[in-house]
Amino acid sequence: MPEIKKTKKAEKKVVSVSPIPGVEKAKKTYNVLRGMHDILPREEKYWKQLYHAAENLSEYFQFSRIETPLLEEVNLFVRSVGKGTDIVDKEMYIFEDKDGARVALRPEATASVARAYIGNGMWNMSQPVKLWYWGPMFRHDRPQAGRYREFFQVGYETLGVKDPATDVELILIAFNFYKELGLPVEIHINSIGTPAERERYINELVSYYRSKRSYLCEDCRNRISKNPLRLLDCKVEGCQPVKEGAPQIVDWLDEESKNYFMKVLEYLDELAIPYVLTPTLVRGLDYYTHTVFEIYPTFGEPGSQSALGGGGRYDLLVEELGGKPAPAAGVALGIERTVHAMKQYAEENKIPAPEVKYDIFFAQLGDEAKRRALHIINDLRGTGIKIAFNFFKNSLKNQLEAANNLRVSYVIILGQKEVQDKSVIIRDMESGVQEIVDQKKLESILKKKLNRI
Ligand code: HAM
């Protein structure tokens, strides 16, 4: 049998044409960077709800909005958040810009707010200065559930006063934020006193942990000399008995610091804000003094949840950054973690997802009606009547179906005849009753029907 020779097909060079002149059509698709994420339209209802709650609270408690740049000098964070913290040592996005300046994508905003307070002479204003922000932060952390490399925070900072009522006002804002979203939370709280008190405590902590060295995990052994306060954060099971017997910082506070903390707790009792005294809570940023706290959901698997938010007092930060001494305190809440908690809570309690509520649906039939409908819809803009419409569905049946899905009370129908008569049909979706009304009277009739007068 003759050998069948495989003929090699002539290789065709496919020249793909790009819509951009001079650029070969791209074949590669791009993924979002690891640890980053798109906030998609299906998430919008949650994000809107959170933003409204945050903004309402800022107005009620009289915080003014501040917007600081995403990029800052690296040293701003090194001096505030601190060398030896995970954020500064491991997680900052640092690079050199075109002028050779070493800049960082902000890992948090408290340092930026303190910088802005100093740089804009805000100490000259009537104190306290109360500022709030909402925006993305960047930490090159190991991504996992609830931990991203770009994430949003809403934060409230009160600069220029030291008063337990300030600390409590910030905790109250955080507590009300979650209350408004229907999420049950509790506050974990501690006082880490002044740097001098902390130093005395750290000496005690170090000698206690040195005496238990052989029971500790590798990380904890390193922490003894590198960052002893972080010993209290260890989650490794073998280290827990050692941690439970560790000295507690509150026992190393002097009278003044203790009294300050007691006052904070008294206020919380009075406001019936649920809190848990947590002697091991020290926070992962260096600028704190006195009160520190974190907010945790009280649902889901106990112990499995990460903090939804955290904050505390930072009386020395402004001075440390070169400003006139100005005691301060603040709180920041994680938006992604809050959205995740809302979904989890809704699922556990069978609560339907929040949805955008429309008042009416505008249905049109035919080209001329479509054109006229656009005018009417635009005229009704600003009246407070929320109108849904879909110009890509042409049959009345499909549009009524869409209206039904949106659960609107009324549908306005505009056909060829109505365009000529300058009228519209209003259909009551519950009773099915229809009435013809003059287009000019539409706004007032709708307002009456929707009780907007
Ligand atoms: P923080 O505890 O580092 O505090 O962050 C506050 C909240 O931001 C956390 O409780 C969490 O919800 C969220 N968060 C932190 N890291 C991530 C991440 N990698 N992925 C998703 N969410 C995250 C601060 O940032 C301080 N500036 C708070 C403050 C304000 N202290 C005084 N004023």
Side-chain angles (χ1 to χ4, degrees):
M1 208 166 137
E3 203 183 317
I4 303 172
K5 273 195 186 152
K6 280 189 186 161
T7 51
K8 210 176 169 190
K9 272 190 195 159
E11 272 183 27
K12 255 197 213 163
K13 193 163 183 236
V14 182
V15 182
S16 50
V17 184
S18 162
I20 307 164
V23 176
E24 210 182 293
K25 194 175 172 184
K27 300 224 176 59
K28 182 182 180 326
T29 58
Y30 295 92
N31 293 325
V32 70
L33 289 176
R34 194 164 126 76
M36 311 233 168
H37 64 127
D38 299 313
I39 301 153
L40 297 170
R42 62 169 179 258
E43 300 286 306
E44 193 193 356
K45 49 188 180 257
Y46 295 101
W47 284 68
K48 254 191 184 156
Q49 206 183 347
L50 265 61
Y51 190 82
H52 280 152
E55 194 177 39
N56 285 344
L57 285 162
S58 76
E59 275 166 18
Y60 192 76
F61 288 93
Q62 291 158 35
F63 281 71
S64 311
R65 180 66 186 253
I66 185 162
E67 210 66 79
T68 61
L70 301 193
L71 285 177
E72 298 272 6
E73 265 183 59
V74 173
N75 277 336
L76 172 68
F77 301 111
V78 177
R79 274 180 60 192
S80 54
V81 176
K83 256 197 188 123
T85 61
D86 282 353
I87 295 178
V88 164
D89 285 6
K90 302 181 194 160
E91 297 168 6
M92 278 213 288
Y93 280 88
I94 298 176
F95 57 93
E96 225 172 69
D97 75 6
K98 291 196 169 157
D99 307 320
R102 266 169 54 80
V103 296
L105 277 170
R106 63 178 184 194
E108 60 108 53
T110 308
S112 308
V113 170
R115 179 205 39 73
Y117 175 86
I118 302 164
N120 294 288
M122 287 192 223
W123 72 85
N124 274 328
M125 295 161 62
S126 137
Q127 306 292 302
V129 172
K130 299 185 0 174
L131 303 167
W132 81 288
Y133 50 85
W134 169 291
M137 310 293 154
F138 302 85
R139 296 185 193 174
H140 196 273
D141 206 346
R142 196 160 43 82
Q144 51 179 257
R147 204 196 280 164
Y148 297 98
R149 290 182 172 170
E150 184 192 19
F151 59 95
F152 277 67
Q153 279 185 351
V154 57
Y156 302 84
E157 313 283 350
T158 304
L159 300 106
V161 293
K162 183 176 178 185
D163 187 314
T166 308
D167 309 26
V168 173
E169 184 184 65
L170 292 158
I171 296 173
L172 185 63
I173 290 174
F175 186 70
N176 280 337
F177 180 74
Y178 291 106
K179 193 169 169 191
E180 217 154 284
L181 301 174
L183 288 183
V185 296
E186 66 188 10
I187 315 297
H188 292 192
I189 192 164
N190 193 20
S191 171
I192 56 166
T194 62
E197 289 158 351
R198 211 152 49 238
E199 206 180 310
R200 288 201 299 272
Y201 168 70
I202 288 172
N203 285 340
E204 187 65 22
L205 189 71
V206 166
S207 60
Y208 166 81
Y209 265 90
R210 283 217 173 104
S211 70
K212 312 277 179 213
R213 206 183 158 81
S214 55
Y215 304 105
L216 300 175
C217 69
E218 188 66 32
D219 277 348
C220 278
R221 285 184 199 175
N222 289 330
R223 283 176 187 135
I224 295 179
S225 51
K226 278 205 176 137
N227 195 349
L229 279 182
R230 301 246 63 83
L231 287 161
L232 302 171
D233 269 350
C234 182
K235 304 273 183 312
V236 175
E237 213 170 306
C239 295
Q240 299 312 302
V242 183
K243 198 164 114 179
E244 275 156 28
Q248 300 193 347
I249 196 161
V250 276
D251 297 328
W252 297 84
L253 302 183
D254 64 21
E255 268 323 285
E256 207 183 319
S257 295
K258 257 188 206 157
N259 285 341
Y260 188 94
F261 190 40
M262 289 311 294
K263 282 240 174 67
V264 171
L265 300 182
E266 275 167 29
Y267 275 115
L268 292 179
D269 285 332
E270 213 163 291
L271 290 164
I273 295 178
Y275 65 86
V276 183
L277 282 176
T278 313
T280 51
L281 179 67
V282 287
R283 306 271 297 133
L285 304 96
D286 275 359
Y287 50 61
Y288 291 113
T289 49
H290 299 285
T291 321
V292 286
F293 59 88
E294 280 176 349
I295 299 114
Y296 283 87
T298 53
F299 53 91
E301 291 273 299
S304 69
Q305 303 273 5
S306 0
L308 295 174
R313 181 150 278 291
Y314 51 94
D315 290 339
L316 305 172
L317 179 62
V318 171
E319 200 180 345
E320 175 60 35
L321 294 178
K324 288 188 183 165
V331 61
L333 312 172
I335 302 306
E336 283 82 354
R337 283 194 197 167
T338 303
V339 168
H340 176 76
M342 283 173 77
K343 288 180 185 166
Q344 191 189 3
Y345 187 69
E347 204 180 299
E348 278 175 22
N349 295 281
K350 310 215 168 358
I351 300 168
E355 52 182 57
V356 184
K357 184 90 189 83
Y358 291 98
D359 297 312
I360 57 171
F361 189 96
F362 205 121
Q364 41 63 41
L365 302 162
D367 263 358
E368 233 174 295
K370 208 180 267 188
R371 225 170 298 155
R372 183 70 200 133
L374 259 181
H375 272 289
I376 301 177
I377 289 167
N378 200 39
D379 288 347
L380 288 173
R381 202 173 60 89
T383 58
I385 301 169
K386 275 198 145 178
I387 309 168
F389 52 93
N390 186 338
F391 282 2
F392 304 103
K393 286 187 197 292
N394 287 325
S395 83
L396 184 61
K397 184 171 166 274
N398 285 347
Q399 292 183 71
L400 286 179
E401 211 172 271
N404 223 359
N405 290 339
L406 290 171
R407 277 175 274 152
V408 293
S409 309
Y410 301 97
V411 174
I412 298 172
I413 303 166
L414 185 70
Q416 201 66 26
K417 182 171 181 310
E418 288 75 31
V419 172
Q420 264 149 30
D421 294 354
K422 298 196 172 22
S423 66
V424 291
I425 298 168
I426 301 181
R427 179 186 172 98
D428 184 320
M429 289 298 276
E430 204 180 309
S431 63
V433 172
Q434 299 195 160
E435 60 182 299
I436 299 169
V437 304
D438 191 325
Q439 285 176 11
K440 281 198 188 117
K441 294 188 183 144
L442 182 60
E443 181 183 334
S444 63
I445 292 172
L446 282 176
K447 279 186 170 167
K448 214 177 268 171
K449 284 185 184 295
L450 296 165
N451 292 326
R452 298 285 161 81
I453 301 178

